[in-house]
Amino acid sequence: MIRHIVFFSVPEGGDADQIETGLSILTENPHASVLEIGRNTRSDLYDEKVDFVVYGEFEDEAALAAYREHPLYKKSTALVRPLREMRMAADYDTAKAVRKARLKD
């Protein structure tokens, strides 16, 4: 499974509700097994730059690629890109992820 995590920030004076509406279009994309849009709760003590998180799970790289090519993804991108400030994304294969640190004796 591929996890897709994207962080967005809203510029000062920007319209967070409009960005959320644009990002919410992604939840209708049929290629994601899970797709969530969340507003940052700002509970981190050190960084307040992120306003939204997009979290997605995909069966494999092909499903993620199909998601990115879907018209709903393109529609969301066209609406959100001119409104957002920062965008930072990461994808990783859960089968290769470190799940628990093991201490050596």
Side-chain angles (χ1 to χ4, degrees):
M1 175 178 62
I2 304 298
R3 286 205 174 116
H4 173 69
I5 304 168
V6 187
F7 298 103
F8 292 89
S9 67
V10 179
E12 190 170 328
D15 190 340
D17 291 337
Q18 195 172 6
I19 291 173
E20 184 174 47
T21 297
L23 290 174
S24 294
I25 293 168
L26 298 171
T27 64
E28 300 299 320
N29 190 312
H31 298 287
S33 303
V34 173
L35 205 298
E36 299 173 347
I37 311 300
R39 285 194 187 215
N40 187 357
T41 61
R42 302 228 185 264
S43 59
D44 187 79
L45 300 176
Y46 305 107
D47 192 355
E48 295 185 359
K49 295 176 185 169
V50 173
D51 294 300
F52 289 98
V53 178
V54 174
Y55 172 83
E57 294 180 359
F58 298 85
E59 186 175 321
D60 52 28
E61 290 282 347
L64 179 56
Y67 164 82
R68 289 181 174 138
E69 290 301 317
H70 195 277
L72 289 172
Y73 180 87
K74 293 174 190 267
K75 179 179 179 180
S76 174
T77 300
L79 291 169
V80 172
R81 183 179 285 150
L83 302 174
R84 59 131 168 113
E85 189 169 50
M86 178 271 302
R87 178 191 182 276
M88 186 179 298
D91 303 317
Y92 69 94
D93 184 337
T94 62
K96 297 175 183 176
V98 176
R99 297 205 181 258
K100 184 176 179 180
R102 301 199 192 282
L103 300 176
K104 294 182 179 183
D105 295 332

